[in-house]
Amino acid sequence: MSGNALTLLVTGANGQLGQELVRMSSDRVRLVGYGRDQLDITDLKQCREALAAVRPDAVIHAAAYTAVDKAEAEPDEAYRVNALGTRNLAIAAREQGAKLCYVSTDYVFNGRGTSPYNEYDNTDPQSVYGKSKRAGEVLLQSLSDRYFIVRTSWVYGKYGNNFVKTMLKLAAERDSVTVVEDQIGSPTYTYDLAKFLIELAQTEAYGIYHASNTGVCSWYEFAQAIFEESGIAIRTEPCTTEQFPRPAPRPAYSVMDHAAIRQNGFTDLRPWREALRAFLKELEG
Ligand SMILES: NC(=O)c1ccc[n+]([C@@H]2O[C@H](COP(=O)([O-])OP(=O)(O)OC[C@H]3O[C@@H](n4cnc5c(N)ncnc54)[C@H](OP(=O)(O)O)[C@@H]3O)[C@@H](O)[C@H]2O)c1
């Protein structure tokens, strides 16, 4: 390990994004992953101990309560992890002089927009999950002066369960699938997001960012693309959100403008379909 390597501590290291991040460790940027078993973010003492032990330059905070529907039934737990857990990390990071990069979500918006949300648009979360993630943002902003908030959407990748894997599994079992077409947004490949987070955490360009793969689609179009790119012949039927009610409301319009990426001179993430192609290739490999 080189003497001037940067060290980034990853929370939620066993999650979908966390595993991708840890895999990107290199001689230049060392990623130290702590899963929930090593660091429960709801415990301030554990946060302090972990940061004191690793002494990271920055924390990439990918741990979260992510069960969107379940959160409606257990709001206390969702807030405890997403709001108070983020507060604890903000306190510990400040004490260690570490930057903190918090991964947040498109669910902070109400989803009734008609043009892409930018980083300074008013938030108005509609679900417990969205509200608890927004509460984490607010606590972080009030406690830290060296923070990044990175809102992303429709995340998928090699690790954990996600929409792409579900579609591939259904295709192996059925002749047709029905997918909602009245929710639109941008899919995000964990690999591309992780690369951006690592780049961002090395800078001092603090603030709020929107980061997803570029371009827009509905879940229905995303499913069609997954099948087309995989060479799978399956009937794909569109349906409406109303036909499949869920405990937590889903935003109809989740499109985010990546103004902060542009304004700070970063390279935007590649188009979603290109990323999907790369992911499917990686899955095959
Ligand atoms: N997935 C999406 O579509 C999406 C969209 C927008 C934003 N995001 C955000 O992106 C980030 C990464 O999401 P993901 O898809 O990687 O989620 P994930 O796979 O559910 O990973 C989250 C990880 O956090 C861990 N965790 C939960 N409570 C914890 C605690 N108290 N202390 C420490 N770790 C805890 C979980 O551990 P257990 O498995 O033990 O619970 C899990 O390993 C999250 O901040 C999420 O809000 C995700």
Side-chain angles (χ1 to χ4, degrees):
M1 205 66 61
S2 114
N4 17 356
L6 283 171
T7 300
L8 307 180
L9 172 63
V10 177
T11 68
N14 297 323
Q16 182 174 217
L17 177 62
Q19 289 187 67
E20 187 81 76
L21 279 159
V22 172
R23 196 179 68 149
M24 289 182 178
S25 196
S26 68
D27 283 350
R28 208 172 54 79
V29 184
R30 193 169 69 104
L31 283 121
V32 180
Y34 272 41
R36 188 211 281 259
D37 45 345
Q38 293 147 299
L39 168 56
D40 180 343
I41 60 165
T42 63
D43 184 333
L44 175 59
K45 185 163 166 275
Q46 283 189 34
C47 292
R48 285 189 160 128
E49 284 168 1
L51 268 93
V54 178
R55 301 186 60 81
D57 297 285
V59 177
I60 301 185
H61 174 24
Y65 181 108
T66 56
V68 173
D69 288 322
K70 206 166 152 215
E72 297 297 313
E74 43 180 51
D76 279 4
E77 186 57 14
Y79 279 98
R80 216 165 65 85
V81 176
N82 293 341
L84 303 187
T86 304
R87 176 203 62 188
N88 293 341
L89 284 166
I91 294 169
R94 193 174 57 185
E95 287 169 0
Q96 285 294 330
K99 307 171 193 174
L100 181 50
C101 177
Y102 170 54
V103 183
S104 191
T105 170
D106 55 318
Y107 279 53
V108 300
F109 297 113
N110 64 23
R112 294 195 288 268
T114 50
S115 59
Y117 292 105
N118 85 21
E119 289 80 354
Y120 302 105
D121 277 331
N122 291 336
T123 54
D124 180 21
Q126 300 292 300
S127 59
V128 168
Y129 168 73
K131 287 176 186 170
S132 66
K133 291 292 294 186
R134 175 62 189 151
E137 292 185 356
V138 172
L139 284 162
L140 177 57
Q141 287 176 309
S142 57
L143 288 166
S144 167
D145 56 0
R146 303 177 79 203
Y147 69 83
F148 309 94
I149 291 169
V150 180
R151 298 183 185 135
T152 189
S153 58
W154 298 21
V155 178
Y156 69 90
K158 197 169 176 185
Y159 308 99
N161 292 321
N162 54 60
F163 182 79
V164 184
K165 287 190 186 173
T166 302
M167 288 300 119
L168 294 174
K169 188 163 163 283
L170 289 177
E173 296 164 356
R174 301 186 190 179
D175 300 327
S176 75
V177 291
T178 305
V179 187
V180 288
E181 70 163 349
D182 55 357
Q183 290 170 29
I184 67 165
S186 307
T188 306
Y189 181 19
T190 48
Y191 178 87
D192 295 345
L193 178 61
K195 273 205 322 198
F196 173 67
L197 293 170
I198 292 169
E199 182 188 3
L200 183 64
Q202 294 176 60
T203 73
E204 295 195 316
Y206 302 117
I208 304 178
Y209 288 80
H210 289 171
S212 52
N213 282 117
T214 47
V216 176
C217 60
S218 66
W219 286 110
Y220 172 69
E221 289 165 332
F222 189 27
Q224 281 183 316
I226 293 163
F227 300 135
E228 276 170 26
E229 295 293 345
S230 314
I232 295 171
I234 183 170
R235 222 173 44 248
T236 317
E237 307 277 3
C239 71
T240 63
T241 304
E242 255 183 3
Q243 288 174 278
F244 279 91
R246 310 279 289 267
R250 300 300 198 267
Y253 186 86
S254 264
V255 184
M256 297 189 291
D257 184 23
H258 299 181
I261 286 187
R262 287 193 304 275
Q263 290 158 4
N264 287 285
F266 293 106
T267 304
D268 211 338
L269 281 65
R270 63 186 148 174
W272 68 265
R273 189 145 181 154
E274 212 177 289
L276 172 65
R277 220 171 285 141
F279 168 63
L280 292 170
K281 210 165 160 208
E282 165 91 14
L283 259 195
E284 273 169 24

